[in-house]
């Protein structure tokens, strides 16, 4: 490089483009045949915003090129522009790098690497649109020119970025398919694609689109069309999209291909998830639950100590179906406790270094002071207690509706709230946003255990409350790492059995006196109720008797539950009630497969001698407020067993509607019982199947009794513990302090 070229380079780096251009103009005047000078001069015009001058400079030279020179000269020009574009990207000047690459595209529109760089820069600049994939011709280029060269790692990175930026755009799916075919090695694409699909299906709540991506992957993965990991997620997405038949079929295939115990447990759980959500497959449910229990017992005997993180995370959630199957907590909970020990041990092996680090500085809060996060024991402190809530359901979900009052009524002078929103939903959800704004320190987190754990650890909490229990594997893993001196389970489902959890919140009714015998956690009983709400928003009803072809003088029974809770034994009791009450009708509502749930109810109705035209199957409504308003059409609500309603029970009682519930032994079989007791209502509480039928018939035939109960429920809004969120919060806060020894 000559002295003047070094000087020109110096001017370029300094941003003195006009001085650099002047040097190249002088060089061209002295040596007009040196083509490279024109490429640099045009670039300098471009950097000054003189695009017309730049293009003119390049085109005039190209116009004089011989046919055998065009290709080499074009390559030289592209190399000059490429070098500057890369330099700009290193400097973080993405806008200028993008502009230079656009000129490169005009010169050579089939340069795939350059097109990918343009897309990557557009995403960084937040100007990318899904339509760009079509307009740039990238998809067509990948499809029609499989031999075109490009940086494979860059292609993979750009695909990941596109699936992050525009995962729902139709062109993103087409681009993904083109990438899979262009570089057909399935392992190259597996984890980026699966990670994106989990976000699409779960975080963005678009399971149908997520399934489409995995279907493309599976169709092109001819070497391994039965990839068990793909099948597992495909089954979940199909089920979430309510494509139950395909979801069940895929789950069964996944289970049939499973070899290890953890995979078999996960596989049979997927089958149960499908058939129980669909409803109406009870014979299959019974057999699958027995298989699941047998597999769990085998795992306990095996006591594996070196499971992978993926295998470990799938151990606890399969327990969820069993409580819908039988009400036998003294039998099932010891199994759960032992599985939870295996889970916790393996999670701590997986996160060994972090687990040791997390565990070292944390000790319980002491009376009169605190030894925690560097504060010495015995030193008086008046700082607020740091309380963390860990949950993926603080949104339009049962937990989201019911936990609001605790968050609203917390004493902010004494308690500082930390919210850990797992798998934060990137959708418009006003309840989720309410919670984010309600806590002092909101953390919108994903699905990576150690990422969540690190955030919880950094916050150095005094007490951590789990609202998910075994309904989310990530929550279980975080709790297993023991990130706070005191850890508690409340509300979500029931205690998870993890040794790292100290307490489970209950009340005098929701667990029997003998329950401590089979709970590993200490049962902390609040004096009245473990849950309270100040009320519910109620909309305008969309149901009318004449729309359902039901006479005005008829008695209407209602059951509103998911397919998971449709136990045939309880359904048979409900049909006996309908049969015994003349001019009565049964409304059935809840998320399930409509065809299978109709077959299920109609078959039992026929067996019990109930005309099927007395059954009405209701569609879902757009909002919870409308659902609550529609409850008003019912004269009596019939609860499910062995898994009661929770939110649905509270909504029923708030609307002043009599309820019949069957009380059992397990937590989820006593929810309605404790809620009725804390609303001051005993009418409708049944301790046996016969009592369930008796109460159902009595309430159906006695309008005066129904009116009396409705009046009592409306009066209870002013005095009952169930409707006093503020007093309930004071009791929870008192419990927190006592748990911490204060």
């Amino acid at each position: 490089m000559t002295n003047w070229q070094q000087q020109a380079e110096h001017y370029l780096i300094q941003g003195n483009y006009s001085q650099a251009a002047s040097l190249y103009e002088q060089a061209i005047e002295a040596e007009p045949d040196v083509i490279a000078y024109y490429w640099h001069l045009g670039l300098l015009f471009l950097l000054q915003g003189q695009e017309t001058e730049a293009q003119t400079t390049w085109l005039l030279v190209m116009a004089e090129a011989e046919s055998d020179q065009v290709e080499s000269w074009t390559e030289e020009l592209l190399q000059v522009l490429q070098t500057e574009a890369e330099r700009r990207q290193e400097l973080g000047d993405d806008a200028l790098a993008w502009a230079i690459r656009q000129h490169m595209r005009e010169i050579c529109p089939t340069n795939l690497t350059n097109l990918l760089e343009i897309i990557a820069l557009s995403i960084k600049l937040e100007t990318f649109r899904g339509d760009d994939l079509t307009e740039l011709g990238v998809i067509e280029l990948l499809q029609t020119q499989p031999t075109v060269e490009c940086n494979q790692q860059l292609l993979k990175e750009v695909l990941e970025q596109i699936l992050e930026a525009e995962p729902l755009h139709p062109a993103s799916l087409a681009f993904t398919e083109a990438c899979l075919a262009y570089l057909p090695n399935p392992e190259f694409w597996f984890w980026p694609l699966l990670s994106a699909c989990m976000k699409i299906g779960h975080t963005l709540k678009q399971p149908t689109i997520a399934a489409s991506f995995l279907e493309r992957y599976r169709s092109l993965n001819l070497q391994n069309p039965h990839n068990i990991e793909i099948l597992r997620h495909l089954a979940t997405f199909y089920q979430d999209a309510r494509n139950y038949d395909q979801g069940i079929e895929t789950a069964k295939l996944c289970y049939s291909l499973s070899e290890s115990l953890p995979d078999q447990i996960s596989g049979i759980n997927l089958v149960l998830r499908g058939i129980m959500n669909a409803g109406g497959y009870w014979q299959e449910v019974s057999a699958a639950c027995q298989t699941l229990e047998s597999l769990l017992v085998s795992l306990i005997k095996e006591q594996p100590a070196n499971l992978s993180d993926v295998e470990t995370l799938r151990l606890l959630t399969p327990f969820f179906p069993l409580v819908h199957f039988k009400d036998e907590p003294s039998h099932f909970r010891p199994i759960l406790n032992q599985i939870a020990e295996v889970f916790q041990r393996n999670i701590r092996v997986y996160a060994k270094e972090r687990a040791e680090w997390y565990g070292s500085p944390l000790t319980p809060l002491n009376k009169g002071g605190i030894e925690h996060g560097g504060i010495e024991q015995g030193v008086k402190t008046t700082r607020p207690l740091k309380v963390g809530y860990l949950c993926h359901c603080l949104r339009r979900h049962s937990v989201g509706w019911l936990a609001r009052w605790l968050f609203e009524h917390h004493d902010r002078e004494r308690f500082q709230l930390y919210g850990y929103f797992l798998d934060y939903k990137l959708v418009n959800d006003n309840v989720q946003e309410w919670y984010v704004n309600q806590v002092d320190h909101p953390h919108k987190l994903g699905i990576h255990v150690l990422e969540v754990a690190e955030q919880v650890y950094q916050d150095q909490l005094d007490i951590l409350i789990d609202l998910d229990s075994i309904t989310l594997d990530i929550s279980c893993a975080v709790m297993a790492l023991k990130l706070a001196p005191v850890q508690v389970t409340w509300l979500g489902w029931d205690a998870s059995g993890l040794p790292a959890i100290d307490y489970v919140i209950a009340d005098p009714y929701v667990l029997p006196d003998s329950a401590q015998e089979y709970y590993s956690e200490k049962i902390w009983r609040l004096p009245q109720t473990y849950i309270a709400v100040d009320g519910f928003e109620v909309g305008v009803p969309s149901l009318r008797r004449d729309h359902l072809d039901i006479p005005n003088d008829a008695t209407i029974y209602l059951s509103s539950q998911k397919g998971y809770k449709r136990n045939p034994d309880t359904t048979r009791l409900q049909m006996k009630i309908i049969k015994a009450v003349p001019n009565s009708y049964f409304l059935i509502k809840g998320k399930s497969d409509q065809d299978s749930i109709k077959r299920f109810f109609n078959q039992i109705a026929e067996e019990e001698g109930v005309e099927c035209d007395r059954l009405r199957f209701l569609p879902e409504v757009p909002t919870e407020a409308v659902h609550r308003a529609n409850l008003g059409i019912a004269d009596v609500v019939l609860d499910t067993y062995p898994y009661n309603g929770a939110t649905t029970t509270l909504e029923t009682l708030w609307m002043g509607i009599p309820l019949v519930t069957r009380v059992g032994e397990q937590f989820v079989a006593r929810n309605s019982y404790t809620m009725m007791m804390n609303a001051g209502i005993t009418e409708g509480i049944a301790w046996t199947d016969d009592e369930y039928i008796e109460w159902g018939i009595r309430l159906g035939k006695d309008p005066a009794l129904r009116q009396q109960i409705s009046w009592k429920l409306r009066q209870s809004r002013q005095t009952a513990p169930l409707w006093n969120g503020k007093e309930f919060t004071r009791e929870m806060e008192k419990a927190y302090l006592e748990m911490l020894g204060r």
Side-chain angles (χ1 to χ4, degrees):
M1 184 181 290
T2 64
N3 288 336
W4 72 265
Q5 287 176 310
Q6 291 177 353
Q7 185 63 41
E9 183 75 12
H10 176 73
Y11 284 142
L12 172 65
I13 293 171
Q14 294 297 316
N16 193 343
Y17 307 130
S18 60
Q19 288 285 5
S22 177
L23 289 176
Y24 273 103
E25 286 172 338
Q26 294 173 30
I28 289 171
E29 188 174 338
E31 299 179 87
D33 294 332
V34 181
I35 303 302
Y37 296 166
Y38 296 92
W39 310 148
H40 288 280
L41 178 60
L43 171 62
L44 290 164
F45 284 143
L46 181 62
L47 295 177
Q48 295 177 77
Q50 299 173 335
E51 294 189 25
T52 302
E53 288 82 351
Q55 291 176 341
T56 300
T57 300
W58 296 328
L59 289 173
L60 285 174
V61 175
M62 287 294 184
E64 297 178 2
E66 300 291 339
S67 58
D68 60 345
Q69 294 177 312
V70 172
E71 184 176 350
S72 62
W73 286 11
T74 301
E75 286 296 324
E76 289 179 16
L77 173 56
L78 287 173
Q79 186 57 54
V80 169
L81 296 177
Q82 170 82 12
T83 300
E84 183 60 18
E86 290 176 351
R87 189 176 77 86
R88 292 293 171 175
Q89 286 174 248
E90 290 176 2
L91 293 172
D93 192 349
D94 296 326
L96 188 50
W98 179 88
I100 294 170
R101 289 192 175 279
Q102 287 289 3
H103 283 278
M104 292 173 63
R105 175 194 164 210
E106 291 182 11
I107 295 166
C108 183
T110 60
N111 185 326
L112 182 56
T113 296
N114 184 57
L115 295 176
L116 294 173
E117 292 283 8
I118 288 173
I119 293 170
L121 288 166
S122 298
I123 293 172
K124 287 184 70 175
L125 294 167
E126 299 183 354
T127 60
F128 175 74
R129 301 171 301 114
D131 292 336
D132 291 344
L133 293 169
T134 304
E135 294 171 6
L136 289 171
V138 178
I139 298 172
E140 183 180 1
L141 195 60
L142 287 168
Q143 291 172 334
T144 60
Q145 299 188 38
T147 59
V148 67
E149 293 185 5
C150 84
N151 183 319
Q152 294 185 10
Q153 185 60 35
L154 174 63
L155 183 61
K156 180 181 177 182
E157 292 172 0
V158 170
L159 175 61
E160 292 181 53
Q161 293 168 14
I162 288 170
L163 293 178
E164 178 69 24
E166 285 281 356
L168 305 183
H169 196 283
S172 298
L173 178 57
F175 179 73
T176 300
E177 187 172 13
C179 288
L180 294 174
Y182 181 81
L183 294 175
N185 177 6
E187 296 303 318
F188 189 76
W189 301 110
F190 180 73
W191 288 112
L193 183 60
L194 186 58
S195 177
C197 287
M198 290 175 69
K199 175 184 175 181
I200 294 168
H202 301 303
T203 308
L204 295 173
K205 302 180 79 171
Q206 296 292 333
T208 301
I209 296 177
S212 297
F213 278 95
L214 292 185
E215 286 167 350
R216 298 297 195 278
Y217 179 91
R218 191 177 176 214
S219 67
L220 292 167
N221 187 9
L222 300 178
Q223 295 178 345
N224 187 14
H226 294 330
N227 181 310
I228 194 169
E229 198 66 26
I230 292 295
L231 291 172
R232 184 177 285 115
H233 289 282
L234 258 180
T236 301
F237 294 141
Y238 287 145
Q239 293 170 17
D240 289 349
R242 305 195 190 184
N243 183 354
Y244 293 110
D245 288 344
Q246 200 164 4
I248 293 168
E249 179 185 346
T250 307
K252 289 180 177 178
L253 176 58
C254 183
Y255 173 61
S256 70
L257 296 170
S258 300
E259 297 179 356
S260 68
L261 263 177
D263 278 351
Q264 289 175 343
I265 289 169
S266 175
I268 198 66
N269 179 53
L270 267 180
V271 174
L272 279 164
R273 187 179 189 269
I275 59 181
M276 294 183 79
N277 267 320
Y281 290 84
W282 192 254
Q283 286 187 339
E284 290 189 48
V285 168
S286 178
C289 281
Q290 292 175 36
T291 299
L292 172 59
E293 181 183 348
S294 175
L295 290 170
L296 291 172
V297 170
S298 296
L299 189 79
I300 291 169
K301 291 178 180 177
E302 190 175 284
Q303 287 292 308
N306 291 293
L307 297 176
S308 70
D309 56 327
V310 173
E311 290 175 315
T312 303
L313 286 172
R314 294 176 181 144
L315 292 183
L316 281 184
T317 50
F319 194 86
F320 188 61
L322 296 178
V323 294
H324 295 79
F325 176 55
K326 282 186 179 178
D327 178 26
E328 297 181 357
S330 60
H331 172 71
F332 284 125
R333 285 212 62 88
I335 296 175
L336 173 60
N337 294 340
Q338 293 176 80
I339 292 292
E341 288 181 12
V342 174
F343 177 95
Q344 178 165 304
R345 183 165 60 249
N346 279 274
I347 283 293
R348 291 187 172 184
V349 169
Y350 153 67
K352 186 176 186 299
E353 292 184 6
R354 299 311 301 170
E356 292 174 354
W357 176 260
Y358 294 151
S360 57
L362 298 176
T363 56
L365 201 62
N366 299 288
K367 292 181 180 180
I370 182 172
E371 186 184 39
H372 183 189
I375 302 176
E376 295 180 1
Q377 184 176 358
V379 178
K380 296 284 185 179
T381 177
T382 58
R383 68 162 176 79
L385 204 67
K386 298 166 74 172
V387 180
Y389 290 95
L390 181 78
C391 190
H392 81 296
C393 298
L394 296 177
R395 50 185 170 84
R396 289 182 60 181
H397 180 280
S398 290
V399 170
W401 291 116
L402 302 188
R404 290 181 295 169
W405 311 110
L406 175 63
F407 282 71
E408 181 169 312
H409 293 305
H410 255 308
D411 183 345
R412 297 314 179 83
E413 292 185 2
R414 301 173 65 203
F415 297 88
Q416 194 172 50
L417 305 189
Y418 292 73
Y420 303 97
F421 299 87
L422 305 186
D423 191 20
Y424 182 83
K425 302 298 180 187
L426 301 177
V427 295
N428 184 20
D429 189 320
N430 62 312
V431 177
Q432 179 176 251
E433 286 309 304
W434 182 88
Y435 277 105
V436 169
N437 294 324
Q438 196 69 18
V439 299
D440 302 295
H441 304 278
H443 298 295
K444 302 175 183 179
L445 300 165
I447 57 174
H448 300 292
V449 173
L450 294 183
E451 172 196 343
V452 177
E454 185 64 25
Q455 183 59 67
V456 176
Y457 175 75
Q458 291 299 327
D459 289 337
Q460 291 287 276
L461 302 173
D462 297 309
I463 187 167
L464 178 61
I465 316 298
D466 171 28
L467 280 73
D468 289 333
S469 187
I470 66 168
T471 62
L472 188 69
D473 49 11
I474 305 162
S475 306
C476 295
V478 172
M479 298 301 287
L481 292 172
K482 190 63 172 176
L483 297 163
V486 172
Q487 299 196 148
V488 183
T489 292
W490 173 65
L491 186 60
W493 168 73
D494 192 354
S496 62
L498 288 167
I501 297 182
D502 304 289
Y503 301 101
V504 56
I505 300 291
D507 61 31
Y509 311 105
V510 78
L511 286 175
D513 294 339
S514 61
Q516 190 61 73
E517 297 173 8
Y518 44 81
Y519 273 79
S520 63
E521 304 88 343
K522 180 176 177 56
I523 299 172
W524 193 285
R525 296 184 190 266
L526 299 180
Q528 293 177 309
T529 178
Y530 87 94
I531 180 63
V533 300
D534 286 350
F536 292 99
E537 299 84 354
V538 180
V540 177
S542 61
L543 275 184
R544 287 174 43 175
R545 288 180 176 235
D546 55 342
H547 292 166
L548 298 172
D549 194 24
I550 295 177
N552 288 331
D553 61 346
T555 300
I556 293 182
Y557 291 91
L558 169 69
S559 176
S560 178
Q561 298 293 350
K562 295 180 179 179
Y564 247 87
K565 298 184 181 181
R566 298 300 186 186
N567 185 297
D569 295 335
T570 305
T571 301
R572 201 169 299 280
L573 303 181
Q574 293 167 345
M575 291 304 169
K576 291 181 184 297
I577 293 169
I578 304 301
K579 182 179 180 180
V581 179
N583 195 25
S584 64
Y585 292 79
F586 192 21
L587 309 187
I588 300 152
K589 178 179 179 290
K591 181 180 176 182
S592 59
D593 179 75
Q594 287 302 298
D595 290 337
S596 65
I597 208 70
K598 285 180 181 178
R599 288 194 300 270
F600 172 77
F601 273 96
N602 286 337
Q603 179 181 342
I604 295 177
E606 290 173 357
E607 291 171 356
E608 293 297 325
V610 175
E611 301 87 349
C612 292
D613 61 5
R614 295 171 67 182
L615 310 183
R616 299 288 187 275
F617 297 91
L618 305 181
E620 293 189 48
V621 293
T623 68
E624 291 82 0
V626 173
H627 158 72
R628 295 171 195 134
N630 285 344
L631 292 174
I633 199 173
D635 296 301
V636 182
V637 169
L638 299 178
D639 198 10
T640 47
Y641 171 85
Y643 201 119
N644 294 168
T647 307
T648 51
T649 295
L650 281 167
E651 291 168 332
T652 298
L653 299 176
W654 180 255
M655 294 300 295
I657 302 167
L659 176 79
V660 180
T661 189
R662 166 75 163 84
V663 186
E665 291 296 309
Q666 62 187 3
F667 189 99
V668 294
R670 299 170 70 92
N671 258 318
S672 295
Y673 166 53
T674 188
M675 291 169 185
M676 292 175 73
M677 293 296 290
N678 278 291
I681 299 295
T682 57
E683 297 89 345
I685 296 175
W687 293 90
T688 66
D689 291 350
D690 288 341
E691 284 185 20
Y692 185 92
I693 297 171
E694 290 168 9
W695 271 117
I697 295 172
R698 181 180 173 189
L699 288 170
K701 289 183 174 181
D702 192 341
L705 177 60
R706 296 199 301 266
Q707 187 175 12
Q708 178 187 350
I709 294 170
S710 183
W711 181 85
K712 288 172 67 175
L713 284 170
R714 286 184 170 84
Q715 291 298 112
S716 76
R717 291 185 180 185
Q718 310 303 318
T719 58
L722 192 65
W723 313 125
N724 192 337
K726 190 170 185 177
E727 178 59 28
F728 164 73
T729 302
R730 297 288 85 82
E731 292 295 342
M732 285 285 279
E733 291 176 340
K734 180 181 177 183
Y736 292 169
L737 292 169
E738 291 178 358
M739 289 173 187
L740 289 160
R742 296 188 68 174

